[in-house]
């Protein structure tokens, strides 16, 4: 945890100006020592380290504070002309590079980072965040200071809900940028830097995936070899001490690829202390046949977390987190995962998250083929998907070959994913452009001919929303090999056919994993779902959820129609069709707000019995 403050008028900051913020930090970190640096209009306060990474650093005239883990530490040191010693932190390496080359160096930093630095010669504060928002960094302007911190809780927010952010969250379309749940708190956007010089503040991009152009043609064999090499680098760079590095293992292709690659990097020596698997024995959720195959092939320890559910009452209760997340109600499950890893000595957890947001692809490539008048190819591809997914060719043709080319005024009804949920208040939906948010999701508003890449970029832009999807992630150093920037950049240049083919998503990854994954796992086409567990949770925790929805905070804010939301919950319980992503978004946000307001009663049955 860290914070820094800057007075735009140049007046010096003293310790008394930060007492309230430091008190909030001490409440969060307990007895951990806090180090403070005050120099004129700039001040920084931080715990000494996070997972061995110093949070305060200085290089020549630059003073920095933040959490930095570089993948290209040696490259940056070479560019800075510095002699690199093991005792020099990645934060100091970044500062040395900036000192030597200026802010243009920021686009060369690769890794997970969020930090701010003060340049006294230029009287300038710069705050920067990596391209995928792996590390958080928030800011709040008071009448006389700009305060930045790794956690919202130490900024002293008034905690007034930003309704525009709530609108995006309720539709499952929250796109992390500058906005946060609180109206008076902003974030440094992923891939951007905020520059404050005096009273003037600017935001600049140091990395933008939209600048990457896909290639029309590429040798398949060379592309697979390059992807495999970059993926090995991505996993290798994120491995910690083998005795304390664990990995998630769901049984899907992504997490299994991370685990298998990490195991092979050891050349017979263990690189992982263990793996952890979430098991759900309800319909479609149990993937142990696949995860067990990886465990057996590589001789790994595997901890299984079985049949945890949403809103489950546990000893700790729901945590007061900085921000809401779509799966926040699964807090008991996530706490159990963290406890299992930490109790076994784990400190680093590798995640398989990320590839869905740039490798999975979308069927808008068929629309793009038609836009380029390659009608025969488009029809052939659509027929292949129709057979592979057992869907009507004609309904798919309507969605991908007809509707995109109709004038907006004559366009067909929106798809299920684009309809505004009935529980969202119509006036609220109009004011905050909810229909447009849904229609623009995953490239739906792009013109034919460009929809595939627009959809990929839209998915990638949503990735930071899920990076911080664990309420207890701060207790582990969670690392994401699939978000290694050179790997993502290489994937974004791939022609469509190397990413998606009829019935096959992530083609290049599957090819790269030949001989690495068990074959039936590598070629699997289905994936487990927690939909059944969500419906079961709505039934099992009926008393607590119904109590929460008697007078929802979201209704008080004017966001939802409470009767309609209660009706949708009842329909889901009875097995009737409901868009669960939208429904869980609403219930997750309401739960989070109830916890923040002190209104959540987690186990109503237990409370009533005790009474």
């Amino acid at each position: 945890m860290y914070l820094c403050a800057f007075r735009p008028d140049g007046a010096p900051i003293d310790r008394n100006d930060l007492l309230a913020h430091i008190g909030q930090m001490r409440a969060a970190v307990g007895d951990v020592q806090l180090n403070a640096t005050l120099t004129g209009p700039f001040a920084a306060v931080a715990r000494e380290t996070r997972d061995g990474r110093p949070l305060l650093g200085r290089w020549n005239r630059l003073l920095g504070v933040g959490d930095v883990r570089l993948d290209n530490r040696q490259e940056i040191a070479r560019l800075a002309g510095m002699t690199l010693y093991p005792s020099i932190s990645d934060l100091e390496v970044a500062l040395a590079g900036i000192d030597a080359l200026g802010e243009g160096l920021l686009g060369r930093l690769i890794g997970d980072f969020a930090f701010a630095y003060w340049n006294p010669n230029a009287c300038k504060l710069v705050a920067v965040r990596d391209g995928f928002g792996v590390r958080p960094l928030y800011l709040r302007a008071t009448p006389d200071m700009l305060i930045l911190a790794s956690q919202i809780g130490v900024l002293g927010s008034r905690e007034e809900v930003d309704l525009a952010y709530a609108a995006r969250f309720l539709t499952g379309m929250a796109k992390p940028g500058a906005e946060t749940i609180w109206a008076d708190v902003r974030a440094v956007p992923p891939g951007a830097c905020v520059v404050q010089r005096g009273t003037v503040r600017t935001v600049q991009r140091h990395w933008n995936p939209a600048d990457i152009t896909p290639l029309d043609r590429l040798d398949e064999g060379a592309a697979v070899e390059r992807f495999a090499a970059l993926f090995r680098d991505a996993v290798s760079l994120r491995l910690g001490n083998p005795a304390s590095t664990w990995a998630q293992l769901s049984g899907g292709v992504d997490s299994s690829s991370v685990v298998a690659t990490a195991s092979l990097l050891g050349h017979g020596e263990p690189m992982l202390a263990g793996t952890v698997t979430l098991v759900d024995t309800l319909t479609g959720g149990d993937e142990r046949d696949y995860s067990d195959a990886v465990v057996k092939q590589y001789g790994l320890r595997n901890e299984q977390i079985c049949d945890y559910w949403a809103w489950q009452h546990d000893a700790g209760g729901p945590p007061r987190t900085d921000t809401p997340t779509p799966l926040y109600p699964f807090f008991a499950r996530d706490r159990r995962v963290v406890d299992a890893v930490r109790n076994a000595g784990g400190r680093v957890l590798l995640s398989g998250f990320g590839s869905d947001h740039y490798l999975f692809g979308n069927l808008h490539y068929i629309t793009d083929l038609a836009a380029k008048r390659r009608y025969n190819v488009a029809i052939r591809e659509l027929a292949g998907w129709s057979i592979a997914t057992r869907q009507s060719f004609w309904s798919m043709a309507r969605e991908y070959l007809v509707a995109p080319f109709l004038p907006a005024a004559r366009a067909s009804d929106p798809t299920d994913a684009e309809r505004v949920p009935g529980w969202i208040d119509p006036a609220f939906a109009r004011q905050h452009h909810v229909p447009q948010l849904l229609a623009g999701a995953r490239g739906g508003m792009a013109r034919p001919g460009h929809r595939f890449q627009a959809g990929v970029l839209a998915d990638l832009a949503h990735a930071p929303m899920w990076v911080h999807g664990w309420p207890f992630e701060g207790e582990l150093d969670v690392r994401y090999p699939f978000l290694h920037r050179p790997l993502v950049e290489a994937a974004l240049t791939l022609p469509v056919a190397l990413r998606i083919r009829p019935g096959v998503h992530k083609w290049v990854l599957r090819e790269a994993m030949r001989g690495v994954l068990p074959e039936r796992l590598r070629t699997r086409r289905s994936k487990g779902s927690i939909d059944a567990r969500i419906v079961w949770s709505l039934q099992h925790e009926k008393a607590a959820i119904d109590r929460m929805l008697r007078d929802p905070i979201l209704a008080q804010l004017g966001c939802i129609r409470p009767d309609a939301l209660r009706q949708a919950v009842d329909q889901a319980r009875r097995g009737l069709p409901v868009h669960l992503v939208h429904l869980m978004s609403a219930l997750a946000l309401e739960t989070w707000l109830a916890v923040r307001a002190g209104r959540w009663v987690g186990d109503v049955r237990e409370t009533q019995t005790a009474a």
Side-chain angles (χ1 to χ4, degrees):
M1 177 183 288
Y2 60 89
L3 71 80
C4 66
F6 171 67
R7 283 197 193 280
D9 63 5
I13 295 175
D14 64 38
R15 195 175 183 87
N16 290 332
D17 295 319
L18 301 176
L19 283 180
H21 304 289
I22 292 174
Q24 291 168 322
M25 289 181 70
R26 291 198 182 281
V29 301
D31 296 332
V32 175
Q33 180 179 348
L34 296 177
N35 298 323
T37 299
L38 289 83
T39 171
F42 176 80
V45 182
R47 59 184 302 174
E48 187 173 0
T49 66
R50 180 178 188 260
D51 300 306
R53 293 189 296 273
L55 299 182
L56 279 172
R58 183 188 295 271
W59 194 265
N60 291 338
R61 69 188 188 277
L62 301 182
L63 177 64
V65 57
D67 190 1
V68 179
R69 188 199 62 78
L70 292 179
D71 290 338
N72 60 337
R73 170 185 168 93
Q74 293 183 341
E75 177 192 359
I76 300 301
R78 178 180 55 79
L79 292 171
M82 66 185 298
T83 301
L84 190 59
Y85 298 103
S87 60
I88 297 177
S89 70
D90 284 1
L91 173 58
E92 291 169 321
V93 172
L95 293 175
I98 296 166
D99 182 56
L101 300 174
E103 289 168 27
L105 185 279
L106 296 178
R108 303 288 293 271
L109 299 178
I110 298 175
D112 310 332
F113 54 84
F115 66 98
Y117 66 90
W118 163 243
N119 185 337
N121 290 2
C123 295
K124 178 171 61 177
L125 175 68
V126 180
V128 61
R129 197 168 170 212
D130 69 76
F132 306 106
V134 174
R135 308 285 185 222
L137 184 55
Y138 305 101
L139 60 91
R140 178 172 181 257
T142 68
D144 62 344
M145 281 197 305
L146 177 68
I147 308 169
L148 297 100
S150 58
Q151 293 187 12
I152 291 178
V154 303
L155 291 176
S157 169
R158 297 190 304 270
E159 298 195 356
E160 297 174 0
V161 173
D162 184 325
L163 296 181
Y165 181 91
R168 290 192 293 276
F169 192 99
L170 286 172
T171 57
M173 294 297 143
K175 177 182 175 181
E179 296 80 11
T180 74
I181 186 64
W182 303 131
D184 62 343
V185 174
R186 289 295 177 257
V188 177
C193 61
V194 174
V195 180
Q196 184 87 23
R197 190 194 296 267
T199 58
V200 178
R201 184 185 312 158
T202 58
V203 179
Q204 305 165 6
R205 292 297 298 256
H206 63 78
W207 182 74
N208 188 351
D211 295 335
I212 301 170
T213 303
L215 300 173
D216 291 330
R217 193 173 290 104
L218 195 63
D219 179 77
E220 290 185 0
V224 170
E225 288 182 11
R226 184 182 181 218
F227 185 91
L230 287 170
F231 186 64
R232 287 192 296 270
D233 289 344
V235 175
S236 176
L237 289 165
R238 281 156 180 77
L239 288 170
N241 186 318
S244 60
T245 301
W246 282 60
Q248 291 176 280
L249 179 60
S250 69
V253 172
D254 298 340
S255 64
S256 299
S257 297
V258 171
V259 169
T261 300
S263 299
L264 289 174
L265 287 169
H267 301 289
E269 296 296 324
M271 300 302 292
L272 297 174
T275 59
V276 60
T277 299
L278 298 176
V279 178
D280 195 316
T281 57
L282 289 181
T283 304
D286 193 345
E287 301 208 305
R288 281 176 291 184
D289 283 348
Y290 297 104
S291 60
D292 286 351
V294 177
V295 169
K296 181 179 180 181
Q297 179 167 323
Y298 291 102
L300 298 167
R301 175 179 177 179
N302 183 237
E303 296 290 331
Q304 297 183 353
I305 311 299
C306 296
D307 289 338
Y308 275 65
W309 63 90
W311 299 282
Q312 181 176 354
H313 180 74
D314 67 358
R320 283 175 59 90
T321 61
D322 270 345
T323 59
T325 56
L327 295 180
Y328 174 77
F330 282 91
F331 53 82
R333 179 198 66 184
D334 295 339
R335 179 183 282 118
R336 178 68 187 91
V337 170
V338 172
D339 287 347
V341 174
R342 285 185 62 87
N343 291 342
R347 292 297 177 267
V348 173
L349 182 66
L350 302 184
S351 170
F353 169 83
S355 80
D356 281 352
H357 292 266
Y358 62 90
L359 271 185
F360 193 81
N362 58 76
L363 267 61
H364 288 304
Y365 81 92
I366 297 173
T367 307
D368 295 340
L369 287 169
K372 297 172 183 177
R373 299 185 178 182
R374 299 179 62 187
Y375 304 118
N376 291 339
V377 180
I379 292 172
R380 185 172 66 246
E381 293 288 303
L382 190 67
W385 279 105
S386 172
I387 295 169
T389 59
R390 298 182 180 180
Q391 296 185 59
S392 164
F393 173 87
W394 299 111
S395 64
M396 296 181 73
R398 174 178 175 271
E399 181 175 354
Y400 295 105
L401 295 179
V402 178
F405 298 94
L406 295 176
R410 294 169 49 212
S412 304
D413 291 338
T415 65
D416 288 341
E418 295 172 350
R419 291 192 178 95
V420 176
W423 55 83
I424 293 183
D425 182 85
F428 175 83
R430 287 192 300 273
Q431 181 180 357
H432 296 287
H433 312 293
V434 171
Q436 292 81 1
L437 285 172
L438 291 170
R442 297 176 177 85
M445 295 292 285
R447 67 184 187 277
H450 303 271
R451 287 199 171 192
F452 176 84
Q453 191 70 357
V456 171
L457 292 174
D459 281 339
L460 192 57
H462 287 99
M465 184 68 185
W466 297 90
V467 166
H468 295 289
W470 283 28
F472 308 101
E473 187 171 328
E475 299 180 34
L476 289 171
D477 187 5
V478 184
R479 301 179 183 178
Y480 304 90
F482 278 107
L483 296 183
H484 181 51
R485 204 177 90 189
L487 179 72
V488 175
E489 290 174 342
L492 291 177
T493 66
L494 292 174
V496 171
L498 272 63
R499 285 183 261 181
I500 182 172
R501 297 181 179 186
V504 181
H505 295 278
K506 308 178 189 178
W507 182 88
V508 69
L509 172 62
R510 294 175 187 274
E511 290 300 302
M513 290 298 109
R514 281 187 181 273
V516 177
L517 293 180
E519 190 63 10
R520 65 189 185 89
L521 191 161
R522 188 189 70 85
T523 58
R524 66 177 302 195
R525 299 292 181 260
S526 61
K527 191 173 183 179
S529 169
I530 62 170
D531 288 1
R533 180 59 63 186
I534 290 173
V535 173
W536 186 93
S537 301
L538 292 172
Q539 297 167 339
H540 190 76
E541 298 297 334
K542 183 178 187 301
I545 295 169
D546 288 353
R547 180 186 180 100
M548 176 178 71
L549 295 182
R550 286 176 190 168
D551 183 20
I553 296 173
L554 287 171
Q556 298 172 20
L557 294 170
C559 303
I560 66 165
R561 299 163 55 225
D563 288 343
L565 181 58
R566 288 190 287 263
Q567 182 181 11
V569 170
D570 183 60
Q571 288 175 338
R573 287 170 177 158
R574 291 186 286 131
L576 299 177
V578 175
H579 197 301
L580 282 179
V581 171
H582 292 165
L583 183 61
M584 275 301 291
S585 296
L587 295 176
L589 183 54
E590 181 64 35
T591 304
W592 186 85
L593 291 169
V595 170
R596 299 287 306 189
R599 293 178 48 180
W600 172 257
V601 179
D603 194 330
V604 177
R605 293 159 299 181
E606 180 178 292
T607 302
Q608 291 172 339
T609 301

Short mmCIF file of all heavy atoms in Angstrom, two decimals, residues 161-184:
data_model
loop_
_atom_site.label_atom_id
_atom_site.label_comp_id
_atom_site.label_asym_id
_atom_site.label_seq_id
_atom_site.Cartn_x
_atom_site.Cartn_y
_atom_site.Cartn_z
N VAL A 161 -21.92 7.68 -5.29
CA VAL A 161 -21.84 6.77 -6.44
C VAL A 161 -21.84 7.54 -7.75
O VAL A 161 -22.64 8.45 -7.97
CB VAL A 161 -23.02 5.77 -6.41
CG1 VAL A 161 -23.04 4.93 -7.68
CG2 VAL A 161 -22.92 4.88 -5.18
N ASP A 162 -20.90 7.18 -8.63
CA ASP A 162 -20.87 7.70 -9.99
C ASP A 162 -21.89 6.90 -10.80
O ASP A 162 -21.68 5.73 -11.12
CB ASP A 162 -19.47 7.54 -10.57
CG ASP A 162 -19.32 8.15 -11.96
OD1 ASP A 162 -20.30 8.09 -12.73
OD2 ASP A 162 -18.25 8.66 -12.28
N LEU A 163 -23.01 7.54 -11.16
CA LEU A 163 -24.11 6.82 -11.80
C LEU A 163 -23.76 6.35 -13.21
O LEU A 163 -24.26 5.32 -13.67
CB LEU A 163 -25.36 7.68 -11.81
CG LEU A 163 -25.93 8.03 -10.42
CD1 LEU A 163 -27.18 8.88 -10.56
CD2 LEU A 163 -26.23 6.76 -9.64
N ALA A 164 -22.88 7.08 -13.89
CA ALA A 164 -22.47 6.63 -15.22
C ALA A 164 -21.68 5.33 -15.12
O ALA A 164 -21.85 4.41 -15.94
CB ALA A 164 -21.64 7.71 -15.90
N TYR A 165 -20.83 5.23 -14.12
CA TYR A 165 -20.08 3.98 -13.90
C TYR A 165 -21.05 2.86 -13.53
O TYR A 165 -20.92 1.73 -14.00
CB TYR A 165 -19.05 4.18 -12.80
CG TYR A 165 -18.20 2.97 -12.51
CD1 TYR A 165 -17.00 2.78 -13.18
CD2 TYR A 165 -18.59 2.00 -11.58
CE1 TYR A 165 -16.20 1.66 -12.93
CE2 TYR A 165 -17.82 0.88 -11.33
CZ TYR A 165 -16.62 0.71 -12.00
OH TYR A 165 -15.86 -0.39 -11.75
N ALA A 166 -22.03 3.17 -12.67
CA ALA A 166 -23.02 2.16 -12.27
C ALA A 166 -23.78 1.64 -13.48
O ALA A 166 -24.08 0.44 -13.57
CB ALA A 166 -23.99 2.75 -11.25
N ALA A 167 -24.09 2.51 -14.44
CA ALA A 167 -24.82 2.08 -15.64
C ALA A 167 -24.01 1.05 -16.42
O ALA A 167 -24.53 0.03 -16.88
CB ALA A 167 -25.13 3.28 -16.52
N ARG A 168 -22.72 1.30 -16.57
CA ARG A 168 -21.88 0.34 -17.30
C ARG A 168 -21.74 -0.96 -16.51
O ARG A 168 -21.74 -2.05 -17.10
CB ARG A 168 -20.51 0.97 -17.57
CG ARG A 168 -20.56 2.09 -18.60
CD ARG A 168 -19.18 2.49 -19.05
NE ARG A 168 -18.41 3.12 -17.98
CZ ARG A 168 -18.49 4.40 -17.66
NH1 ARG A 168 -19.31 5.19 -18.34
NH2 ARG A 168 -17.76 4.91 -16.71
N PHE A 169 -21.62 -0.86 -15.21
CA PHE A 169 -21.48 -2.06 -14.40
C PHE A 169 -22.75 -2.92 -14.49
O PHE A 169 -22.66 -4.15 -14.61
CB PHE A 169 -21.20 -1.69 -12.94
CG PHE A 169 -20.76 -2.84 -12.09
CD1 PHE A 169 -19.42 -3.05 -11.83
CD2 PHE A 169 -21.68 -3.74 -11.57
CE1 PHE A 169 -19.00 -4.12 -11.05
CE2 PHE A 169 -21.28 -4.82 -10.80
CZ PHE A 169 -19.94 -5.01 -10.54
N LEU A 170 -23.90 -2.29 -14.43
CA LEU A 170 -25.17 -3.04 -14.43
C LEU A 170 -25.39 -3.82 -15.72
O LEU A 170 -26.10 -4.83 -15.72
CB LEU A 170 -26.34 -2.07 -14.21
CG LEU A 170 -26.49 -1.52 -12.79
CD1 LEU A 170 -27.55 -0.44 -12.77
CD2 LEU A 170 -26.85 -2.64 -11.82
N THR A 171 -24.80 -3.39 -16.80
CA THR A 171 -24.96 -4.08 -18.07
C THR A 171 -23.83 -5.07 -18.33
O THR A 171 -23.79 -5.69 -19.40
CB THR A 171 -25.02 -3.06 -19.23
OG1 THR A 171 -23.83 -2.26 -19.20
CG2 THR A 171 -26.23 -2.17 -19.10
N GLY A 172 -22.92 -5.20 -17.38
CA GLY A 172 -21.76 -6.07 -17.59
C GLY A 172 -20.77 -5.48 -18.55
O GLY A 172 -19.90 -6.18 -19.07
N MET A 173 -20.88 -4.17 -18.82
CA MET A 173 -20.04 -3.52 -19.81
C MET A 173 -19.09 -2.50 -19.18
O MET A 173 -18.65 -1.56 -19.83
CB MET A 173 -20.91 -2.78 -20.85
CG MET A 173 -21.74 -3.71 -21.68
SD MET A 173 -20.70 -4.81 -22.66
CE MET A 173 -21.66 -6.31 -22.59
N ALA A 174 -18.79 -2.66 -17.91
CA ALA A 174 -17.87 -1.74 -17.26
C ALA A 174 -16.52 -1.80 -17.96
O ALA A 174 -15.91 -2.86 -18.06
CB ALA A 174 -17.73 -2.07 -15.78
N LYS A 175 -16.08 -0.68 -18.45
CA LYS A 175 -14.82 -0.59 -19.18
C LYS A 175 -13.87 0.27 -18.36
O LYS A 175 -14.00 1.49 -18.31
CB LYS A 175 -15.04 0.03 -20.56
CG LYS A 175 -13.78 0.24 -21.37
CD LYS A 175 -14.12 0.89 -22.68
CE LYS A 175 -12.88 1.24 -23.48
NZ LYS A 175 -13.21 1.90 -24.75
N PRO A 176 -12.92 -0.36 -17.68
CA PRO A 176 -12.05 0.42 -16.80
C PRO A 176 -11.30 1.51 -17.56
O PRO A 176 -10.61 1.26 -18.53
CB PRO A 176 -11.08 -0.64 -16.25
CG PRO A 176 -11.82 -1.92 -16.38
CD PRO A 176 -12.62 -1.78 -17.63
N GLY A 177 -11.51 2.72 -17.11
CA GLY A 177 -10.80 3.86 -17.65
C GLY A 177 -10.50 4.78 -16.50
O GLY A 177 -9.97 4.38 -15.47
N ALA A 178 -10.88 6.03 -16.64
CA ALA A 178 -10.65 6.99 -15.56
C ALA A 178 -11.72 6.91 -14.48
O ALA A 178 -11.48 7.26 -13.33
CB ALA A 178 -10.58 8.41 -16.12
N GLU A 179 -12.94 6.43 -14.83
CA GLU A 179 -14.04 6.44 -13.87
C GLU A 179 -13.90 5.32 -12.85
O GLU A 179 -13.35 4.26 -13.13
CB GLU A 179 -15.38 6.30 -14.60
CG GLU A 179 -15.71 7.45 -15.54
CD GLU A 179 -15.00 7.34 -16.88
OE1 GLU A 179 -14.42 6.26 -17.14
OE2 GLU A 179 -15.02 8.31 -17.64
N THR A 180 -14.45 5.55 -11.66
CA THR A 180 -14.56 4.53 -10.63
C THR A 180 -15.97 4.58 -10.07
O THR A 180 -16.79 5.42 -10.46
CB THR A 180 -13.55 4.75 -9.48
OG1 THR A 180 -14.00 5.85 -8.66
CG2 THR A 180 -12.16 5.04 -10.00
N ILE A 181 -16.25 3.72 -9.12
CA ILE A 181 -17.57 3.70 -8.51
C ILE A 181 -17.89 4.98 -7.78
O ILE A 181 -19.05 5.35 -7.64
CB ILE A 181 -17.70 2.47 -7.57
CG1 ILE A 181 -19.13 2.32 -7.03
CG2 ILE A 181 -16.70 2.57 -6.43
CD1 ILE A 181 -20.17 2.04 -8.07
N TRP A 182 -16.87 5.71 -7.32
CA TRP A 182 -17.11 6.95 -6.58
C TRP A 182 -16.89 8.16 -7.49
O TRP A 182 -15.91 8.24 -8.23
CB TRP A 182 -16.19 7.06 -5.36
CG TRP A 182 -16.29 5.93 -4.38
CD1 TRP A 182 -15.25 5.23 -3.85
CD2 TRP A 182 -17.47 5.39 -3.77
NE1 TRP A 182 -15.70 4.28 -2.98
CE2 TRP A 182 -17.06 4.35 -2.89
CE3 TRP A 182 -18.83 5.67 -3.88
CZ2 TRP A 182 -17.97 3.60 -2.15
CZ3 TRP A 182 -19.74 4.91 -3.14
CH2 TRP A 182 -19.31 3.90 -2.29
N ALA A 183 -17.79 9.12 -7.40
CA ALA A 183 -17.77 10.28 -8.30
C ALA A 183 -16.55 11.15 -8.10
O ALA A 183 -16.11 11.82 -9.05
CB ALA A 183 -19.04 11.10 -8.12
N ASP A 184 -15.98 11.19 -6.90
CA ASP A 184 -14.84 12.08 -6.64
C ASP A 184 -13.50 11.36 -6.70
O ASP A 184 -12.47 11.92 -6.31
CB ASP A 184 -14.99 12.77 -5.29
CG ASP A 184 -15.02 11.81 -4.12
OD1 ASP A 184 -15.25 10.60 -4.34
OD2 ASP A 184 -14.82 12.25 -2.98
#
